[in-house]
Amino acid sequence: VGFQRVKVIALAVADLNRANQFYGQQLALPPAFEGTDQVGWWLGPVILMLKPGWAAPTAQPNPHVTLATDHAPATQEALRARGIAIADEVKPYGDFYVGSFLDSEGNKLWFCSPVAA
């Protein structure tokens, strides 16, 4: 089939301005452009697109987005320092630390790192 990687993750948002402020300023993600139009925010090689007018945001996994990080416990503390709500405290699950936070629209985003990190 030729799938190579995730290119875009789209999240429902109720307030586009608030969501752009959250991802651009609180999380400090760099803007992603297609030509001269900003289409979202970079998460490594993946574009996070914010879609107003879609179904209401939800904390249920729809989609279940997990972000890789160098050290999940440190990421959790950095998120807290920025005033971001932690939904699930970081815990070890096998060889990985896993936790989650809520974005400005109530979408739950997960993050993880190897325990050895």
Side-chain angles (χ1 to χ4, degrees):
V1 173
F3 292 129
Q4 296 176 338
R5 64 181 174 87
V6 174
K7 179 175 178 168
V8 173
I9 296 171
L11 286 179
V13 300
D15 184 323
L16 184 59
N17 289 332
R18 180 177 62 206
N20 277 322
Q21 188 277 332
F22 179 84
Y23 285 98
Q25 293 179 15
Q26 284 188 274
L27 289 185
L29 298 179
F33 289 88
E34 293 276 337
T36 58
D37 297 326
Q38 183 178 350
V39 297
W41 302 95
W42 284 113
L43 285 170
V46 176
I47 296 172
L48 178 64
M49 285 186 169
L50 307 175
K51 305 303 264 181
W54 278 21
T58 175
Q60 298 303 315
N62 187 15
H64 187 128
V65 178
T66 302
L67 310 174
T69 185
D70 290 333
H71 190 251
T75 297
Q76 177 172 276
E77 294 314 308
L79 291 168
R80 275 202 175 105
R82 292 173 183 230
I84 296 169
I86 301 300
D88 295 278
E89 295 287 326
V90 168
K91 294 180 184 170
Y93 291 93
D95 293 338
F96 283 86
Y97 285 122
V98 179
S100 73
F101 65 95
L102 299 178
D103 75 0
S104 60
E105 306 306 295
N107 292 300
K108 184 184 284 190
L109 299 167
W110 296 86
F111 56 97
C112 71
S113 69
V115 169

